[in-house]
Each structure stands twice: as structure tokens, then as C-alpha cells.
Amino acid sequence: MEITTVGVVGLGTMGAGIAEVCARHGYQVLAIEPDADSLERGRGSISRSTERAVTRGKLTDTEREEVLSRISFSTQLEDLASVDLVVEAIPEDLDTKRELFGQLDKITPPHAILASNTSSLSVTEIAVATSRPARVAGLHFFNPAPVQAFVEVVRTVVTDPSVVDDLVAMARSLGKEPVVIGDRAGFIANALLFGYLNQAVSMYEANYASREDIDAAMRMGCGYPMGPLALLDLIGLDTAYQILDTMYRQSRDRLHAPAPILKQMVTAGLKGRKTGRGFYAYAAPNSPEIVDDGSAAGAESNVEPRPVQSVGVVGSGTMATGIAEVLAKGGFDVTLVARSESSLTRALGALDKSLEKAVQRGKLEAADRDGIRARVSGASSLESLAQVDLVVEAVVEEISVKTALFENLDEICKPGAILATTTSSLPVVELAAVTSRPQDVVGLHFFNPAPVMRLVEVVRTVSTSPVTLATAVDVTQRAGRHPVVCGDRAGFIVNALLFPYLNDAVGMLEANYASADDIDLAMKKGCGYPMGPFELLDVVGLDVSLAIQQTLYREFREPGFAPAPRLEHLVTAGYLGRKTGRGFRAYE
Ligand SMILES: NC(=O)c1ccc[n+]([C@@H]2O[C@H](COP(=O)([O-])OP(=O)(O)OC[C@H]3O[C@@H](n4cnc5c(N)ncnc54)[C@H](O)[C@@H]3O)[C@@H](O)[C@H]2O)c1
């Protein structure tokens, strides 16, 4: 069927974008809102958005005029009497949507396809409110609709296959990559996204970390385009609440039960960008500009840090050499301590190679390299750390090895020296407890490769003193890294939010809801992630991922965190990802 005229009902966050993207691709659009005021607001959104596209050079002025001329606005549903397709984008409420579809069924011509942009509601239940359930489907766009190149086409058990084909063709004509899937709450992307968003809200609600730090951690640690709280503000907290509520009712997974603070914020009118206030404050309703509301993070900045000039790094692996490089680049005098002369030679060799690479890539001047290198000295005995101001430990991830090391460091290092661990999964406080200076022990969780990744999770235990925390933050900043402060629990911020999502993706694959390719595509194109979950799992290593997920499960006892059986089976079979040539995918 040829689609030329599209009705868009509801011009809020999503509808305005959907109307715009249809008009930009040549469709005649009839845009509907229930009253004159909201219609004006919708028209204003489209006008501003296309204006921004002109400013950014994505549209010319003439093109913009043409786009706008293709959209007509109305408050009368009856005006949809001759459309080929309706995309509904009204609030996420089943009864309202069913009522609207009943009306649309009477108004639109019999050949018209009725599509819902619902994020989580049952398309089947919406379809049966009409006399043409075979011509009803889901057409789920992503926010912002003009930007995200992904669309989920949701078919119910009664959707006519030709309707699915027509919607797929239509989505392609809009420059989107469509994936066809069955009718399940959250479909692919939201089912994987919202558990994560909800967890992030719980972290914020529990004061585990500040909003800025949670968001920065996920942007810098995972390369996501937005942090979870800023994204929720964009989605709209009312919509997010409805989506989670629907998902919870279907899954009965506690992780989908909306975090209580979401309801409080919605009730208070803090719905995100659309009301000018959500987790952040915005310059005006619908403005993307975050303004200072006096509650930004940084309480530790009131405390004067201790002076730190000389630092020790213990270990000889990838993390240790990377951290030594970062600290030396930051102007610190670094003593790198390895277990033996031979491992020291190897570690210093790796450091030289990394610096050399930076010079070759034009990222570092040769003279600077020599300066940096001159600041690093090597040693094979911990005794050489007697006078340093701070030690970062990056030895093997085994608690017995680390506690023995901390006992030694405690004896050797001068009073007041800070002892930091870069552990990714062990409790920092266990290391603090074996020393006589638990107030001076802190976590400094660098990411791999340390010279590239700017994020550092600064982990404070119940014993860490404010001055130690302030010093750790200061050192991280002076080393050109971005510190985020969090408490001492499994996964810190990034892994605690990342791995359950990866595990959920494995669960979705196991349930045969979608293929690994479609799931990867959904997260990359729908959410702008740099890699899909299966690509990432294969890179990280399935054994490493399983171990992290097990740690999270043991710590939080959340049934939803239980490692997916498929992940365990692949590890048992020795399919560990890229490093063994086979994981979720096979590699050459
Ligand atoms: N916000 C997102 O990121 C996102 C992403 C994908 C899909 N969705 C889905 O899209 C739909 C719309 O969500 P939203 O975030 O755009 O909501 P929104 O609250 O921003 O906008 C809804 C719009 O619908 C209008 N409206 C209400 N009742 C109407 C009616 N009977 N007829 C016509 N217009 C009506 C409202 O005035 C409002 O402008 C929901 O089903 C949501 O789940 C949202």
C-alpha cells in the first residue's frame, strides 16, 4: 500500500518529532491536539526544532518552509477522514489510547493503518478496541524522533503481514532501521533500558552518588550519549513512570517497580524538561539548558586536600602501567613497584611503548614524553614507598593478595600517606580494616585503558575521612581525570548499572524474543550506545562479565540480578568472547 498522508495524534515530546520526521521525508502530515493551546505548543515545538536544524546546517531555509507547509494542524479528529496511516502519540495510558483508537476506527478510511507509538502498553489490547485489529500495529520511535535512526514495528498475533510490510517500508523511507518484534511490554529497547534507568534513580534516591556523578559515570564509563537521569528528564518522568509501571505489571520483577521518588516528582510537577524541572533544573519548560539550582554535587570540595607530589603504583599489569602513565602525565613523581626485576622491566617497557604510541599519534610531544618518563622510577621492593604521599594498588584481583599488600604498605608508608586500591569488585573497607589507618584508605577505580578513559570512581568507605576523599578527588583531577564519588558497594556506579542490563539482554535472547543482531541494533540506534550488549559482552569477556554479575547478585540478593543461564553455559563451554574466538558470536 502506498502511504502518502499521515495523521499524528498528540504533539508532545514524541508526536511533534514524529510529525516533523514524516514531513521531512515528504509525507503530508495532519497533526492533532485536543485543544487550541496544546496545538499551539505542538506547533511551536516543531517550529523550534526545524529552526535548530537550519542553524545546524541540516536543513536549508527553503527546505524548512517546505517541511512546515506539509504539516497541517487541527483540533478535530474528524480531519483524519482521508489519511493512510495514523501514528498515535498521546500519553501512556491504556484506557485513553483504547478510547482514541475506537474513535479513529470510525473516522479513518477502512484501508488506513492505525499505529501506536506506545512504549510499553499492549498493542493487542489497543487493537481489539477497533473493528480492524488486523490493521493495528505498534510503530515505536525513539526520542528524539528526528535523530534516533531506529524504529520498532510491533506486530500482534492478529496484525496482517502486509501491514507489517507497509510499516517497515514506511520506516525505511524515513531513514530509520526498523526491527519487527512481538507484543511484549517494553519491546526490545525499553525492556533493556528502563531497568537500568530505574536502578539509576534508586542510586540517586539512596544518596549513593550525586546526580552529576551518576550521569558522568555512565557517559564517560560507557560512552552513552546521556546519563540516565538527564535521559529520564528528556523522556519525561510521567511517561517513564507509566512505562515502568506497565513493565512491572507484566514482569513482576522488582527492578521494574518504579523507584518511589519518581512518583513523588511527578506528583510535584517535576516531570523533566517539559516542565522545566526534573532531576535537573532547566532554563524554561522544554529547554535543554541545565541551570544551577544550588544542589549540584561537590560537598567534598569544602575540605582542603592534603598536598600530594610523590605517588607509588603497585603492580605490573595493564592497569598499573596505565595508572603510572596517567599520574606521571599529571606531574606527579611516580614510583612503580613490581614483584620482581623481570616484571618491572616488562611494566616499564609497556609504559615506554604506550608513550611512544602517543608521540606517533601526535598526542604527545617528544620532549613531554621525556619529561613524563623521567618522573617515573621503578622498584621491586615496597620499601621504596616509605616516603610517598599516596599509593595506588593495582595487583591481581584476589582479596588475600590485596590484604597482605595493605598490611605491608601500612607498615612501610609514612603516617598520613593515603592508600588507594583500584579494585573493581572487592570491598574497599576490607582492605582498610587490615591497616592501622582506615581513615586514609580509599578506592580509585580507573577504567581500562587508563590513559584513554577519563573516568575514575572515587570510592569512600564508612571509615574514609573527608580529607582523604578530598585528596583523592584532587589527585584525580590534577591527573586530568574526571572523578565521581560513590560508596563502597559491589559494582560502584558503572558496573552496577551496566552489567544487569547486559544480563537482561542475555535473558531476552534466551527467551527467543529477539536475535542478538536485532538487540544490538536496538541499543545502538535506539539509544545511541557505542556498542550493542552482545558486542560488548564479547569484548569484555564472558567470564569477567559473569563474575561481576555474580558479585552483584551476592551483594544485592536481587532475584533479577541472577546471572542468565545462557551466560553461565557459554562460560562453561569455554566460549569467553573475542579472546577465545567465540562468545555470542564467532570471530575469525
Ligand atoms: N517520551 C519518550 O521518550 C517516548 C519515546 C518513545 C515512545 N513514547 C511514547 O509516546 C507516547 C507519547 O509520549 P510523550 O512522551 O510524547 O508524551 P507527552 O506527554 O509529551 O505528549 C502527549 C501529548 O498528547 C496530547 N494529548 C493528550 N490526549 C490527547 C488526545 N486524546 N488526542 C490528541 N492529543 C492528546 C497532549 O496534549 C500532549 O501534547 C506514549 O505512548 C509514550 O509511551 C515516549
Side-chain angles (χ1 to χ4, degrees):
M1 183 181 93
E2 203 194 340
I3 296 173
T4 53
T5 315
V6 181
V8 177
V9 184
L11 296 178
T13 308
M14 289 308 291
I18 295 169
E20 176 186 332
V21 77
C22 290
R24 278 171 75 163
H25 288 85
Y27 293 92
Q28 288 298 325
V29 176
L30 254 157
I32 309 279
E33 272 281 334
D35 56 66
D37 283 352
S38 54
L39 191 67
E40 245 353 271
R41 204 192 49 218
R43 194 201 298 268
S45 306
I46 297 174
S47 169
R48 281 190 303 277
S49 166
T50 47
E51 223 169 71
R52 278 197 301 271
V54 172
T55 319
R56 290 189 191 142
K58 304 237 157 113
L59 273 185
T60 64
D61 272 320
T62 334
E63 282 166 345
R64 174 170 182 256
E65 290 305 315
E66 281 168 15
V67 168
L68 294 181
S69 74
R70 279 197 282 272
I71 309 178
S72 28
F73 295 87
S74 166
T75 55
Q76 303 300 316
L77 272 187
E78 286 68 26
D79 287 344
L80 299 174
S82 58
V83 297
D84 305 310
L85 164 71
V86 176
V87 183
E88 164 276 312
I90 68 169
E92 189 77 344
D93 176 72
L94 184 61
D95 290 338
T96 323
K97 291 204 197 256
R98 281 172 55 91
E99 195 189 320
L100 174 69
F101 272 71
Q103 290 173 294
L104 291 172
D105 186 31
K106 296 202 181 80
I107 293 166
T108 56
H111 79 275
I113 298 174
L114 306 182
S116 173
N117 182 51
T118 180
S119 313
S120 59
L121 296 171
S122 159
V123 178
T124 316
E125 285 192 53
I126 297 173
V128 296
T130 72
S131 66
R132 60 177 106 177
R135 302 199 69 72
V136 178
L139 190 62
H140 182 231
F141 288 84
F142 288 75
N143 190 355
V147 178
Q148 305 290 12
F150 182 64
V151 166
E152 288 167 325
V153 176
V154 185
R155 63 166 149 64
T156 73
V157 287
V158 289
T159 311
D160 194 306
S162 72
V163 167
V164 173
D165 292 345
D166 289 341
L167 290 177
V168 164
M170 154 87 184
R172 290 215 172 97
S173 76
L174 299 177
K176 310 287 183 204
E177 290 193 53
V179 162
V180 179
I181 37 159
D183 187 16
R184 198 171 102 161
F187 315 125
I188 300 178
N190 283 349
L192 297 179
L193 176 69
F194 273 78
Y196 146 70
L197 294 179
N198 203 33
Q199 276 299 105
V201 177
S202 298
M203 261 186 189
Y204 168 79
E205 189 168 21
N207 269 324
Y208 176 67
S210 70
R211 59 184 184 188
E212 286 83 4
D213 283 357
I214 294 172
D215 279 351
M218 298 314 284
R219 279 200 323 272
M220 293 183 197
C222 301
Y224 292 176
M226 292 178 94
L229 302 176
L231 177 57
L232 279 163
D233 275 356
L234 175 70
I235 291 170
L237 303 195
D238 50 343
T239 304
Y241 179 86
Q242 294 295 349
I243 293 172
L244 281 164
D245 195 49
T246 314
M247 282 174 50
Y248 174 73
R249 270 189 265 130
Q250 195 168 97
S251 68
R252 294 287 156 189
D253 182 344
R254 272 184 20 197
L255 296 167
H256 295 152
I261 198 176
L262 276 176
K263 179 116 183 227
Q264 294 160 35
M265 293 176 74
V266 172
T267 310
L270 312 179
K271 296 184 187 169
R273 278 194 200 181
K274 59 182 154 192
T275 59
R277 183 87 209 261
F279 289 103
Y280 296 91
Y282 298 85
N286 290 315
S287 160
E289 188 196 335
I290 293 179
V291 294
D292 185 11
D293 61 354
S295 57
E300 63 281 354
S301 59
N302 300 331
V303 180
E304 193 61 30
R306 265 181 224 152
V308 172
Q309 184 46 44
S310 61
V311 299
V313 176
V314 185
S316 51
T318 323
M319 287 314 287
T321 48
I323 294 167
E325 178 178 336
V326 167
L327 292 170
K329 277 185 185 156
F332 295 95
D333 301 319
V334 181
T335 308
L336 179 63
V337 181
R339 251 188 315 181
S340 62
E341 284 298 335
S342 61
S343 50
L344 180 64
T345 312
R346 234 179 308 122
L348 290 174
L351 174 67
D352 288 335
K353 219 159 135 193
S354 172
L355 289 173
E356 191 49 47
K357 230 196 242 161
V359 173
Q360 277 167 10
R361 290 201 183 137
K363 302 224 162 126
L364 194 66
E365 295 292 328
D368 291 339
R369 171 200 56 197
D370 297 341
I372 292 165
R373 188 60 186 79
R375 281 197 286 278
V376 183
S377 56
S380 56
S381 153
L382 292 175
E383 306 296 332
S384 43
L385 299 179
Q387 291 309 317
V388 299
D389 305 315
L390 175 141
V391 179
V392 185
E393 160 284 308
V395 303
V396 66
E397 190 80 343
E398 262 174 48
I399 191 75
S400 56
V401 177
K402 292 205 196 254
T403 45
L405 174 63
F406 267 68
E407 279 168 0
N408 284 334
L409 289 173
D410 187 34
E411 275 175 24
I412 292 165
C413 296
K414 67 182 181 189
I418 291 174
L419 307 182
T421 170
T422 193
T423 181
S424 23
S425 61
L426 301 170
V428 178
V429 74
E430 279 199 43
L431 306 178
V434 301
T435 70
S436 64
R437 59 176 102 192
Q439 72 283 357
D440 294 330
V441 176
V442 69
L444 279 180
H445 185 224
F446 284 80
F447 288 72
N448 192 10
V452 177
M453 301 287 286
R454 280 185 57 224
L455 184 71
V456 177
E457 286 170 323
V458 179
V459 184
R460 70 164 147 220
T461 76
V462 287
S463 330
T464 309
S465 71
V467 63
T468 298
L469 184 67
T471 310
V473 165
D474 179 57
V475 167
T476 322
Q477 280 168 339
R478 282 165 58 200
R481 306 292 98 175
H482 186 107
V484 295
V485 176
C486 61
D488 183 22
R489 62 182 211 194
F492 309 133
I493 302 176
V494 174
N495 285 353
L497 292 178
L498 174 65
F499 282 87
Y501 140 72
L502 296 175
N503 193 49
D504 284 350
V506 181
M508 183 178 274
L509 184 70
E510 209 162 35
N512 286 318
Y513 178 62
S515 67
D517 287 351
D518 284 352
I519 297 173
D520 276 351
L521 181 76
M523 300 320 285
K524 283 194 289 188
K525 298 281 172 165
C527 303
Y529 289 4
M531 277 192 204
F534 299 105
E535 284 170 337
L536 184 58
L537 281 161
D538 277 358
V539 168
V540 172
L542 272 44
D543 50 343
V544 174
S545 305
L546 178 62
I548 295 175
Q549 192 59 27
Q550 280 165 338
T551 311
L552 290 171
Y553 182 47
R554 275 197 301 271
E555 175 110 323
F556 296 101
R557 317 284 166 107
E558 232 0 299
F561 281 1
R566 172 81 58 96
L567 186 60
E568 290 177 328
H569 293 177
L570 288 167
V571 172
T572 308
Y575 302 155
L576 306 183
R578 282 183 182 260
K579 59 186 167 189
T580 60
R582 182 163 170 187
F584 283 97
R585 297 193 173 89
Y587 301 88
E588 292 287 303

